[in-house]
Amino acid sequence: MSTAAQQTGGRTSAPTAIIIGGGVIGCAAAFELSKAGYACTLLDKGAIHQEASTAAAGMLGAQVEIHQPGPFYELCRQSQEIYKAWIDELEQIGGVTAQYIGKGILRAALTEEDELELRSRLSWIQNADWMKPEDMRRMEPELSAEVRGGLHFHADHQVHPVWLAKSLGAAIVRQGCRIREWTPVFKLLTEPGTGRICGVQTSEGPLYADIVVLASGAWSPALTGPLGIKLDMFPVKGQCISVKTGAPIIRSTVFTHGCYIVPKLDGSYIIGATQAEAGFDKQVTVKAIAELHGKAAALLPRIEEAEFISSWAGLRPGTRDGLPYLGETSELPGLIFATGHYRNGILLAPVTGRIVAQIAAGDKPLEDLKPFSPMRDSAKATA
Ligand code: FAD
């Protein structure tokens, strides 16, 4: 009998799941597992939605973010394809909109080198058209005269990450998921004899479940390390600013090398993002704000007239090879990995939730997830 069953006195009841982490990935896993009949408990060390997920810009950049074809690109595309239906479902269940905007992304080149890189993607990328500078300015008249052309990614839409988080939170509560905030998980518990992960040790004592989902973002290695799995993961600090104009100056997201400007429904724009390995530091620096301002104004000069609203920093769950960890391992059965989504966790939330539920149901051949295995060579920390 499993420890979870022992805890319920052996009675037949819904299967149970513990999800560690209340970002978009943990919430997406809780959403799909509760739909599949699991009684879910989601734990967070703080309040939910306070880390990378609400620091994001919200681009669903399956095309703009990916520089080569392969399994990661295919994963991003799968998520892109189901995104709209997924957020409609969240809104229907929880009653909160994720503020989806279906206007695509204009990826503009300001240098010859960048133009060549963008043109090289045309041989394999879908949903992209090359645009001459005058075509780009016809779409977005305020773009700089320095723009040399670029790609229109017409399926790379966007949501508001804060509203996505609220939408997910409302939907999972509606589905009966129990959320326990300010309840850090200190350790994964293994079943004596089998070595199966059967629960977690928390600040409130042990909790047991049939499956445990690791969705603790940049903090994930601290939980698997003591059990012998050293994930090569690290926080990648990203700083952003938000500004507002009277009348809108762009309708679609505009993006150039090292900077994007994402217009939101409330008339604000998220300008991001810096990228640095700086441990768990989340301070916003003057240097970063100046850098973002300079790059944004080079792309969209009228952004200079905007009113400053706020600044923030978040910690992307980075991995050395840039791929997430998805799946199970024979070393830690009972633990489903759903972490390491780096720059694309907002985009990848629906497909990740779906994969977690498929693994829990035994419907996902691990072979399919080989490129994302926590045991792949490129994923293991050397130290
Ligand atoms: P998080 O949101 O960090 O959530 C992890 C949660 O786990 C946290 O709430 C944390 O408190 C909790 N936790 C950690 N350890 C424990 C523990 N021991 N016990 C209990 N709880 C624990 N992605 C996109 O797709 N599009 C974008 O436009 C985009 N822009 C971005 C811009 C910036 C500036 C940043 C920083 C990120 C951006 N991303 C974007 C990336 C995206 O935000 C992340 O990939 C995604 O949020 C990761 O989600 P997560 O749930 O894994 O992590």
Side-chain angles (χ1 to χ4, degrees):
M1 192 193 299
S2 80
T3 317
Q6 282 164 6
Q7 224 194 16
T8 58
R11 76 187 135 78
T12 314
S13 53
T16 51
I18 288 171
I19 298 103
I20 311 171
V24 289
I25 298 298
C27 290
F31 180 64
E32 296 298 335
L33 285 170
S34 52
K35 263 170 59 185
Y38 275 80
C40 294
T41 302
L42 181 139
L43 305 170
D44 203 290
K45 64 180 174 53
I48 61 168
H49 310 322
Q50 297 303 308
E51 297 294 347
S53 299
T54 46
M59 289 174 292
L60 309 175
Q63 268 83 32
V64 78
E65 281 281 328
I66 313 300
H67 296 237
Q68 60 193 31
F72 185 57
Y73 176 54
E74 292 312 319
L75 188 74
C76 290
R77 278 194 3 101
Q78 275 176 41
S79 214
Q80 182 183 56
E81 274 166 19
I82 60 176
Y83 218 96
K84 181 68 170 72
W86 181 70
I87 54 162
D88 286 349
E89 189 184 8
L90 293 180
E91 183 172 346
Q92 206 177 10
I93 294 173
V96 179
T97 170
Q99 299 198 359
Y100 181 87
I101 300 180
K103 294 227 180 266
I105 294 182
L106 277 181
R107 172 64 175 87
L110 289 168
T111 64
E112 187 183 353
E113 192 189 355
D114 199 26
E115 181 182 342
L116 288 175
E117 194 279 316
L118 289 180
R119 282 189 187 275
S120 74
R121 292 196 219 174
L122 279 168
S123 59
W124 57 271
I125 206 134
Q126 286 101 339
N127 300 321
D129 295 319
W130 182 258
M131 299 195 85
K132 292 190 259 178
E134 56 272 28
D135 296 335
M136 286 198 126
R137 276 193 293 277
R138 203 164 296 127
M139 272 187 75
E140 293 297 350
E142 300 298 341
L143 280 177
S144 158
E146 302 298 314
V147 167
R148 304 168 62 98
L151 289 170
H152 180 209
F153 292 116
H154 36 85
D156 281 5
H157 302 313
Q158 57 136 323
V159 291
H160 197 303
V162 173
W163 285 97
L164 172 66
K166 288 183 187 177
S167 180
L168 264 167
I172 63 175
V173 166
R174 195 66 200 263
Q175 289 190 157
C177 173
R178 192 162 170 225
I179 297 176
R180 293 178 66 168
E181 299 182 307
W182 305 102
T183 311
V185 170
F186 297 131
K187 140 175 159 182
L188 299 168
L189 299 175
T190 47
E191 194 171 54
T194 68
R196 189 178 166 82
I197 299 296
C198 60
V200 295
Q201 184 66 41
T202 76
S203 54
E204 310 276 297
L207 290 173
Y208 298 97
D210 298 309
I211 57 165
V212 175
V213 179
L214 183 72
S216 43
W219 294 264
S220 301
L223 292 173
T224 61
L227 295 175
I229 296 199
K230 297 199 186 308
L231 299 175
D232 198 356
M233 265 185 90
F234 46 91
V236 182
K237 179 179 176 182
Q239 300 180 60
C240 290
I241 56 176
S242 164
V243 302
K244 195 166 189 159
T245 57
I249 53 172
I250 46 169
R251 303 277 175 186
S252 37
T253 297
V254 295
F255 194 133
T256 191
H257 187 68
C259 180
Y260 46 73
I261 307 174
V262 190
K264 299 297 176 187
L265 286 181
D266 62 0
S268 68
Y269 305 84
I270 295 180
I271 302 177
T274 63
Q275 186 150 315
E277 283 180 43
F280 286 88
D281 165 50
K282 286 204 294 181
Q283 275 179 2
V284 177
T285 63
V286 173
K287 183 169 180 252
I289 294 179
E291 186 186 316
L292 288 171
H293 162 250
K295 287 183 177 169
L299 178 63
L300 189 69
R302 279 198 58 205
I303 205 79
E304 300 265 22
E305 297 163 21
E307 176 192 345
F308 181 82
I309 304 179
S310 62
S311 62
W312 64 89
L315 303 171
R316 304 175 185 93
T319 61
R320 197 57 62 192
D321 59 8
L323 304 179
Y325 299 118
L326 300 174
E328 273 186 306
T329 63
S330 51
E331 287 76 1
L332 298 179
L335 181 70
I336 301 179
F337 290 74
T339 189
H341 292 74
Y342 192 28
R343 292 175 60 96
N344 296 292
I346 304 295
L347 166 67
L348 291 170
V351 81
T352 302
R354 198 175 274 192
I355 287 172
V356 167
Q358 286 168 339
I359 295 170
D363 289 344
K364 187 78 183 167
L366 286 184
E367 188 58 26
D368 287 3
L369 295 171
K370 221 168 155 189
F372 312 114
S373 163
M375 303 311 288
R376 64 188 186 263
D377 283 346
S378 52
K380 287 191 221 135
T382 43

